[in-house]
Amino acid sequence: KKISRKLKEWILALKLEQELSKEEILELYLNESPYGGNIYGIEEASGMFFNKRASDLTLTESAYLAALPQAPTFYSPYGNNKDKLEERKNLVLQRMFENGFITKEDYNKALEEKVEFHPQRDIGIKAPHFVFYIIDYLENKYGRRAVEERGFKVLTTLDFTLQQKAEEIIKKFALENEEKFNARNAGLIAIDPKTGQILVMVGSRDYFDEEIDGNFNVATSHRQPGSAFKPFVYATAFTKGYTPESVVFDVETEFSTECSPEGKPLKSNAICYMPQNYDNLFRGPVSLREALAQSINIPAIKTLYLAGLRDSLRTAKDMGITSLTNVDRYGLTLVLGGGEVSPLEMASAYGVFANDGERNPYSIILKIEDSKGNVLEEQKVMPKRVLSANVARQISDVLSDNTARAPAFGSNSPLYFGSRDVAVKTGTTNDYRDAWTVGYTPNISVAAWAGNNDNRSMEKKVAGFIITPLWRAFMEYAIEQLPNESFKNPDSEDLSELPSPLRGIWKGGVSYTIDTISGKLATDRTPKETRKEIVVVNPHSILYWIDKDNPRSKESFNPEDYSQFRLWEPPVLAWAKKYGFTQQSNTGTPTEYDDIHIESNNPSASLQGLKNEYLNNENISFTVMSQGTYPIKRIDIFFAGRYITTKNMSSFSYSFNPREYSNEKSGTLKIVVIDSVYNKTELLQTIKIQ
């Protein structure tokens, strides 16, 4: 890249011209040209790729070998860019024809010739998919000549112990899956979410297995993820203000606005879309927690509409899904895995959930030095906040909720790890060409895929049968090598002021709270023990009750403005009618307010025998006297914020040593008197201790 280097090359070229003929220069080039790895020269390349001498090559084979030296790793016939190699081979033939080296007949014949590359030899490469991924990275960044000449020392992120175990597990299970499910191949990638470092990369069951194109790296190739994409959509919904408790209706629903709610086209060329759940069942009202944990399709599509397609794609992109670039290609099927992503992207993006919403871009290099010890590159961990910590924790909480998952997967499925916190999501495409399991702990994120490289369908089994046992076997081994870390709990939130559907209430959007003792409307003084919310039965879809784009707003809106409203409403109303939830009026709402829990009904109480000051280790003794409109139920005693005891009598004497509860020089004694209807009175007294 330097002018001085170009001047040297200019001088060397002139000297070569003086000493050698063009034929001799070409001969030297052909004998030294690099073809990838340790392959140098046309004769060695001919033997490696076609198992023949260079003099025996056909025109088409020669064109392939002429195409390779520009970027041997990128264009390798054993790599992931065979289509690019094909294009470059055709370019070579085209230029030969244009420049008169071959005839039109030769050109057409060469284009039609089908060439078989000799199987790649197992030359003892460890972690071959990862090794060639590294080489490709180095050549793209530093150039092929630098990689060949500068004596790079490359320290990578690979955990070879985990890598070996992953290769062993994948080979075992992939061979079993071929027999059981017609799934010949599998791949797995593991990432440390705290650093982004790739720990494991297995691109096939056997890199050197030609029958399955084993050298093709499925860990970096793009496949449809099925339901494994759903967490990004739910995360977007939670970010917008929806809650895991929010309720939508799992009922058969038409989603195409060009069709009627019954699924009939409204114009001649309309394509209707009325998808099914994986089990062909419909559950009625379900929470977003249940819908995500059980991977139910209809609620997921509704959640995508609520969250917004563009915003959901933006969330996925921010988290590391970079392959879904054309927003206009996707519709509501996106949430069911309609786009194509790589296992590498999925493991990296799920790592954001594991890392409390902070993203570390995936990395493969710890350090690169040249032959002189100069550091060319060194990883610096620089996490970036792309999702709120609370939303990340909500997703982890749902994906690790075995109770919420159990109705679909059972209480003791391979997704459940007992004493370890593991969040996980499966995915199967509708055509059964791809099966995924992606899961994580706070310190490892693992994506596993099963299927066929040629895109043939597998047996019609869900991912839980095909890929989850493989993922489970690796995850069990991996977490034993790692510290036992737990997910942080999401923030607790008071939902009482939110619209009814966000609180898990589906029977109606209007409610009132009564005091269960008086039967009258509750007041601020009504204790929580006697409060009960009554919902006026009036079932509707969630779009009837909330502003879709601002779900926590209490301002008025028109649900008819939402394109999906006319499609969601009829099946919900039909479900409510079928199960007897007929609309009620507000006429039964009480008009009077709770008159039991009023200040004049609070119990009265007094403390006797207390002093203002006590000596160190001196017992505090006192007597409590109480009475009230209603019988006294219990009296609780606290000191310095710590609970001491409960007495079930209206009057008593008690003694305790304050040093058993506090070492401070003073503390507050609190007496809470509670009557049979939960009216309360508190007595507070500060006591000094010498």
Side-chain angles (χ1 to χ4, degrees):
K1 295 184 179 180
K2 295 181 178 178
I3 294 176
S4 59
R5 173 63 181 253
K6 292 299 173 189
L7 287 171
K8 289 176 183 178
E9 290 180 353
W10 182 18
I11 294 168
L12 287 169
L14 289 172
K15 286 187 174 183
L16 277 172
E17 285 284 298
Q18 292 170 356
E19 298 292 332
L20 301 171
S21 68
K22 294 287 189 183
E23 288 291 326
E24 289 171 322
I25 294 172
L26 179 59
E27 179 185 340
L28 282 172
Y29 171 77
L30 290 173
N31 286 329
E32 296 294 335
S33 184
Y35 281 87
N38 295 319
I39 309 170
Y40 290 92
I42 194 72
E43 188 69 26
E44 190 176 353
S46 181
M48 176 64 74
F49 293 121
F50 300 115
N51 198 28
K52 60 173 69 173
R53 296 182 61 82
S55 57
D56 297 328
L57 292 171
T58 68
L59 174 59
T60 309
E61 291 168 341
S62 299
Y64 275 118
L65 294 187
L68 278 169
Q70 187 186 56
T73 303
F74 180 81
Y75 288 119
S76 171
Y78 306 126
N80 280 17
N81 300 305
K82 293 180 183 177
D83 56 335
K84 300 298 182 183
L85 173 61
E86 192 70 18
E87 289 175 8
R88 184 155 180 80
K89 178 265 294 184
N90 291 341
L91 175 62
V92 170
L93 292 170
Q94 180 183 338
R95 294 300 300 277
M96 291 181 73
F97 170 63
E98 290 172 352
N99 289 306
F101 289 103
I102 59 175
T103 66
K104 180 70 170 177
E105 182 182 354
D106 293 333
Y107 174 64
N108 291 333
K109 184 178 178 182
L111 287 178
E112 294 173 2
E113 181 181 344
K114 300 299 181 184
V115 170
E116 291 291 333
F117 287 89
H118 193 60
Q120 189 169 19
R121 299 172 193 167
D122 184 347
I123 52 177
I125 301 174
K126 296 177 179 180
H129 287 106
F130 183 76
V131 166
F132 285 110
Y133 187 73
I134 289 279
I135 293 171
D136 197 36
Y137 167 81
L138 295 173
E139 290 188 349
N140 284 334
K141 184 165 185 178
Y142 298 100
R144 175 169 52 83
R145 178 173 288 178
V147 173
E148 292 171 353
E149 297 177 359
R150 293 177 62 184
F152 286 171
K153 179 182 177 183
V154 183
L155 185 63
T156 77
T157 61
L158 197 75
D159 183 321
F160 192 60
T161 301
L162 286 180
Q163 174 76 18
Q164 285 181 301
K165 190 65 177 179
E167 289 176 359
E168 172 192 320
I169 288 170
I170 283 182
K171 185 147 193 174
K172 173 181 180 293
F173 281 92
L175 289 172
E176 292 178 4
N177 285 345
E178 181 176 11
E179 184 178 336
K180 293 178 181 178
F181 307 115
N182 189 34
R184 305 180 72 195
N185 204 9
L188 181 145
I189 195 147
I191 288 178
D192 180 351
K194 298 177 187 293
T195 62
Q197 294 170 4
I198 296 176
L199 306 175
V200 172
M201 179 185 284
V202 185
S204 72
R205 76 183 193 198
D206 185 348
Y207 182 88
F208 300 99
D209 187 340
E210 185 186 12
E211 288 188 12
I212 61 163
D213 289 328
N215 49 61
F216 185 79
N217 190 351
V218 298
T220 60
S221 65
H222 294 95
R223 313 285 300 213
Q224 289 192 346
S227 294
F229 192 83
K230 288 176 181 176
F232 307 121
V233 173
Y234 283 83
T236 309
F238 294 163
T239 299
K240 289 196 165 186
Y242 294 92
T243 68
E245 292 74 26
S246 299
V247 174
V248 294
F249 276 82
D250 177 26
V251 291
E252 191 168 28
T253 307
E254 172 60 53
F255 289 99
S256 172
T257 54
E258 296 181 341
C259 300
S260 71
E262 297 75 31
K264 296 179 180 179
L266 298 178
K267 55 184 181 180
S268 58
N269 60 344
I271 299 175
C272 298
Y273 180 54
M274 190 178 284
Q276 300 292 306
N277 292 320
Y278 66 90
D279 54 7
N280 295 316
L281 299 177
F282 299 99
R283 296 158 181 79
V286 295
S287 68
L288 298 193
R289 173 183 294 274
E290 294 167 328
L292 177 56
Q294 297 172 38
S295 200
I296 310 171
N297 289 342
I298 307 304
I301 297 170
K302 291 184 175 182
T303 303
L304 175 58
Y305 180 72
L306 297 173
L309 175 62
R310 289 181 178 273
D311 289 337
S312 296
L313 281 169
R314 188 177 299 112
T315 297
K317 182 179 180 181
D318 290 344
M319 293 177 67
I321 304 296
T322 58
S323 54
L324 304 177
T325 55
N326 187 352
V327 176
D328 298 328
R329 279 186 57 193
Y330 313 106
L332 292 177
T333 59
L334 176 72
V335 73
L336 305 184
E340 292 187 339
V341 300
S342 70
L344 174 56
E345 288 177 301
M346 291 293 278
S348 180
Y350 270 60
V352 175
F353 297 133
N355 201 37
D356 261 1
E358 289 189 331
R359 167 163 171 73
N360 289 299
Y362 59 79
S363 61
I364 53 176
I365 302 293
L366 293 178
K367 186 162 67 171
I368 301 176
E369 295 178 355
D370 64 16
S371 59
K372 297 179 182 179
N374 299 313
V375 177
L376 306 180
E377 183 176 333
E378 193 166 13
Q379 188 198 20
K380 292 180 175 62
V381 178
M382 300 177 66
K384 179 183 178 182
R385 169 73 58 194
V386 296
L387 195 67
S388 80
N390 193 57
V391 168
R393 293 171 189 176
Q394 285 177 317
I395 294 293
S396 297
D397 187 57
V398 172
L399 294 183
S400 61
D401 188 339
N402 198 53
T403 302
R405 183 168 56 216
F409 294 91
S411 58
N412 195 29
S413 74
L415 306 177
Y416 179 55
F417 284 76
S419 60
R420 298 292 289 253
D421 271 3
V422 180
V424 58
K425 185 73 189 72
T426 62
T428 311
T429 54
N430 288 337
D431 49 19
Y432 295 94
R433 291 176 178 171
D434 303 276
W436 296 69
T437 300
V438 190
Y440 58 92
T441 69
N443 46 26
I444 192 168
S445 177
V446 181
W449 169 91
N452 295 298
N453 285 15
D454 60 7
N455 229 19
R456 283 184 295 118
S457 295
M458 301 172 285
E459 291 294 322
K460 293 185 177 180
K461 300 289 184 181
V462 294
F465 290 99
I466 301 172
I467 189 61
T468 300
L470 181 158
W471 173 88
R472 166 84 189 210
F474 174 79
M475 200 67 163
E476 274 186 333
Y477 178 83
I479 62 178
E480 286 302 316
Q481 320 305 312
L482 298 167
N484 186 356
E485 294 186 39
S486 298
F487 295 125
K488 295 176 182 177
N489 292 326
D491 298 338
S492 58
E493 181 182 10
D494 180 9
L495 305 179
S496 60
E497 297 301 315
L498 296 182
S500 295
L502 303 190
R503 294 189 286 131
I505 296 173
W506 58 268
K507 290 184 179 179
V510 177
S511 65
Y512 56 91
T513 304
I514 64 166
D515 166 46
T516 56
I517 296 176
S518 66
K520 299 177 181 179
L521 290 173
T523 67
D524 291 341
R525 299 185 62 86
T526 305
K528 64 180 181 180
E529 292 89 347
T530 68
R531 299 175 73 91
K532 181 180 180 182
E533 185 173 16
I534 305 296
V535 178
V536 178
V537 178
N538 187 17
H540 287 279
S541 71
I542 191 172
L543 294 175
Y544 183 89
W545 300 113
I546 63 158
D547 180 345
K548 176 182 82 73
D549 300 315
N550 191 9
R552 299 191 174 208
S553 171
K554 293 185 178 180
E555 296 183 9
S556 61
F557 65 96
N558 182 10
E560 298 283 351
D561 292 339
Y562 305 134
S563 61
Q564 288 288 317
F565 177 71
R566 69 171 185 82
L567 298 171
W568 292 14
E569 271 289 287
V572 170
L573 298 179
W575 181 91
K577 182 178 180 181
K578 178 180 178 180
Y579 290 98
F581 294 101
T582 54
Q583 183 175 349
Q584 295 177 342
S585 67
N586 292 349
T587 55
T589 304
T591 56
E592 298 181 338
Y593 288 89
D594 176 10
D595 54 7
I596 290 178
H597 304 99
I598 55 178
E599 187 173 2
S600 60
N601 284 344
N602 284 348
S604 61
S606 63
L607 282 171
Q608 298 177 5
L610 270 180
K611 298 187 295 183
N612 290 330
E613 194 169 300
Y614 288 81
L615 296 174
N616 194 35
N617 286 326
E618 180 183 0
N619 278 2
I620 297 176
S621 300
F622 56 91
T623 299
V624 178
M625 306 288 290
S626 66
Q627 60 181 2
T629 306
Y630 299 96
I632 304 302
K633 183 178 182 180
R634 73 172 197 266
I635 299 177
D636 298 331
I637 303 173
F638 303 84
F639 181 71
R642 296 182 61 184
Y643 169 77
I644 298 178
T645 190
T646 293
K647 296 294 183 180
N648 300 110
M649 53 188 74
S650 59
S651 301
F652 59 90
S653 297
Y654 190 72
S655 179
F656 71 97
N657 187 330
R659 285 302 179 217
E660 294 180 9
Y661 300 94
S662 174
N663 290 317
E664 301 296 324
K665 294 182 179 180
S666 67
T668 300
L669 177 67
K670 181 167 77 171
I671 310 296
V672 181
V673 182
I674 304 170
D675 67 18
S676 60
V677 295
Y678 297 98
N679 286 316
K680 297 178 183 179
T681 293
E682 290 187 2
L683 301 176
L684 301 174
Q685 184 160 334
T686 300
I687 297 172
K688 294 182 179 179
I689 301 171
Q690 293 183 358

